[in-house]
Amino acid sequence: MNLKQLYRRFRDWQRNPSKYEEIGSKMHCCCNCGQEYAGAFCPRCGQKARAGRITWNTVKNGLMDLFGLGSRSLPYSVWQLLWRPGYFISDYINGKWQMSFPPVKMLVIVALIVFFMGGLLFPEYWGKDEQPEVVTSTGVTYYVESAMNWLATHPEWGILFLLSFLILPTWFVFRHAPRNPRHTLPQGFFIQVFMSIQFFIWTFILSLALLLTGVNAQQAWVVSAFFLPFIVLMDYKQLFSYGWRGTLWRLVVAVAIIVLSLLLIVMIVVAVNKPEGYIIVRHYRPIFVFMTFAAGLGILLSLTDAVNRKTWQERGMWRSMLLPLLFFTVMVICLIVLEIQRPGAFFKALFS
């Protein structure tokens, strides 16, 4: 068997790792409760139809269950998540729960194992001896800093919190995908739970491999973090069945939507509080800055929706691009107004 055939077998396994036998009409008598039935399992007590006769397959399954390697076990689910991540996530959100360990429980267990092993092997790298900072502020700031400290000491929830920003943009950008179109927001939550688990596993594997080759801790973290976007790209390609380019530009758009949305939130906070040291508020009217970022977000959303739905096939190119052009016009007008207020300083103000 050549490499091409092996790769095809691997691809077939990725798409469909479980092959279930057809339910026949043969009648069975349950050895446990005496119920007569047709199928693979007793409808009264749930015992398998093959139960009763001890074979070598029974011995194998017993040993696998002893070491936690059976179906729906944690090692089995981690193995699936490493080698067929997008397909595995797609199976779960489409109702194939029987083959997966409970994902939220898996996130907590994997995070604890990874940080325990990392702290045991490389305490300096994994921050084993770090202590949470003492919060001395008051008011709303106290609760914000306390929450950040809690997330820092509970990395599994911290990573899930960061990846949760992808839930809504992913739902919008990939809702017309060939696979899993119009997936729901609760499904999006579990997508990010599985991706958080992947983050911990691959960060540990890659950083451990680099540290064993003599790379220092800081370089190992940078290199391992560099590979994570490629892992996310692979997940989304398998999950939504777009090509590499289609997956890449949609993922970039999703990240851009997050960045612009966060900037809009910052603009709202600045407009309300108006801190003296913030140069945008001191030199510009916040409403025009807000409208500039809002128009940019509108361009991304409307253009992505038009491309995903291929609206030009029904409405024509001009009508399908009308909304993005409208947002673009609003953004240009706002930029002109801001430039008139203080020439040449707007883009400097964004990074001040």
Side-chain angles (χ1 to χ4, degrees):
M1 185 177 294
N2 56 35
L3 291 176
K4 190 173 183 180
Q5 291 175 325
L6 287 173
Y7 177 72
R8 286 180 177 175
R9 287 186 61 180
F10 175 69
R11 293 288 294 171
D12 292 339
W13 172 81
Q14 280 187 313
R15 292 187 175 94
N16 186 21
S18 302
K19 295 181 180 180
Y20 298 99
E21 298 178 359
E22 294 291 335
I23 298 177
S25 58
K26 182 181 178 181
M27 298 300 295
H28 304 279
C29 181
C30 181
C31 298
N32 184 55
C33 65
Q35 175 72 32
E36 292 189 357
Y37 63 95
F41 294 89
C42 174
R44 178 184 291 176
C45 67
Q47 181 164 280
K48 291 183 179 180
R50 295 180 179 179
R53 185 177 181 181
I54 303 298
T55 63
W56 285 111
N57 191 50
T58 309
V59 176
K60 183 197 74 172
N61 292 334
L63 292 174
M64 290 181 67
D65 290 337
L66 173 64
F67 294 103
L69 299 176
S71 62
R72 196 172 165 78
S73 67
L74 178 60
Y76 176 82
S77 298
V78 169
W79 178 260
Q80 295 273 322
L81 200 55
L82 287 177
W83 292 106
R84 51 183 302 271
Y87 298 118
F88 180 69
I89 297 171
S90 178
D91 289 342
Y92 186 85
I93 65 175
N94 283 294
K96 294 183 178 181
W97 296 1
Q98 189 61 31
M99 63 188 302
S100 173
F101 192 80
V104 178
K105 186 188 295 185
M106 180 162 56
L107 171 62
V108 176
I109 295 175
V110 167
L112 290 175
I113 293 174
V114 165
F115 274 82
F116 174 77
M117 294 298 297
L120 185 65
L121 297 174
F122 305 101
E124 181 181 356
Y125 174 62
W126 290 90
K128 179 180 177 182
D129 299 327
E130 291 184 1
Q131 298 294 329
E133 298 180 359
V134 178
V135 179
T136 57
S137 57
T138 58
V140 177
T141 308
Y142 170 81
Y143 296 102
V144 173
E145 293 184 0
S146 298
M148 296 303 294
N149 281 344
W150 187 86
L151 291 174
T153 55
H154 296 78
E156 66 277 13
W157 302 118
I159 296 301
L160 180 58
F161 173 75
L162 292 176
L163 288 178
S164 65
F165 287 109
L166 274 172
I167 294 176
L168 193 57
T170 296
W171 171 82
F172 183 85
V173 173
F174 290 93
R175 62 178 177 165
H176 297 286
R179 182 183 289 122
N180 300 309
R182 296 191 178 276
H183 69 279
T184 63
L185 294 182
Q187 288 175 328
F189 168 77
F190 282 104
I191 290 174
Q192 303 312 322
V193 169
F194 281 116
M195 290 179 64
S196 300
I197 298 168
Q198 270 191 290
F199 176 88
F200 285 112
I201 296 173
W202 281 114
T203 299
F204 179 75
I205 293 174
L206 294 173
S207 59
L208 180 61
L210 290 168
L211 287 169
L212 291 176
T213 59
V215 178
N216 64 51
Q218 186 176 4
Q219 291 175 340
W221 172 259
V222 172
V223 175
S224 59
F226 175 78
F227 281 99
L228 292 177
F230 296 98
I231 296 171
V232 176
L233 180 64
M234 173 65 76
D235 288 358
Y236 275 63
K237 181 182 182 299
Q238 294 182 359
L239 182 60
F240 298 110
S241 197
Y242 280 118
W244 287 108
R245 286 182 297 179
T247 305
L248 178 60
W249 77 258
R250 287 176 174 86
L251 188 57
V252 171
V253 168
V255 174
I257 290 173
I258 295 173
V259 173
L260 284 177
S261 300
L262 292 176
L263 286 174
L264 282 173
I265 295 173
V266 171
M267 291 298 105
I268 294 173
V269 173
V270 168
V272 173
N273 297 321
K274 295 185 179 180
E276 294 297 329
Y278 202 74
I279 191 171
I280 287 182
V281 175
R282 285 190 286 135
H283 297 298
Y284 300 107
R285 294 180 181 178
I287 184 62
F288 289 106
V289 180
F290 178 83
M291 289 178 62
T292 301
F293 288 112
L297 182 61
I299 293 173
L300 281 177
L301 294 175
S302 57
L303 192 59
T304 302
D305 187 64
V307 173
N308 283 338
R309 296 169 59 188
K310 299 180 180 180
T311 54
W312 59 83
Q313 295 179 351
E314 298 179 0
R315 306 176 185 176
M317 183 62 70
W318 170 250
R319 290 183 62 188
S320 63
M321 293 293 107
L322 189 59
L323 189 58
L325 287 174
L326 177 62
F327 282 118
F328 179 76
T329 303
V330 172
M331 186 173 68
V332 170
I333 293 173
C334 292
L335 288 173
I336 292 173
V337 172
L338 293 171
E339 185 68 15
I340 292 174
Q341 290 181 1
R342 189 174 177 84
F346 175 72
F347 292 102
K348 293 180 181 179
L350 293 180
F351 302 101
S352 62

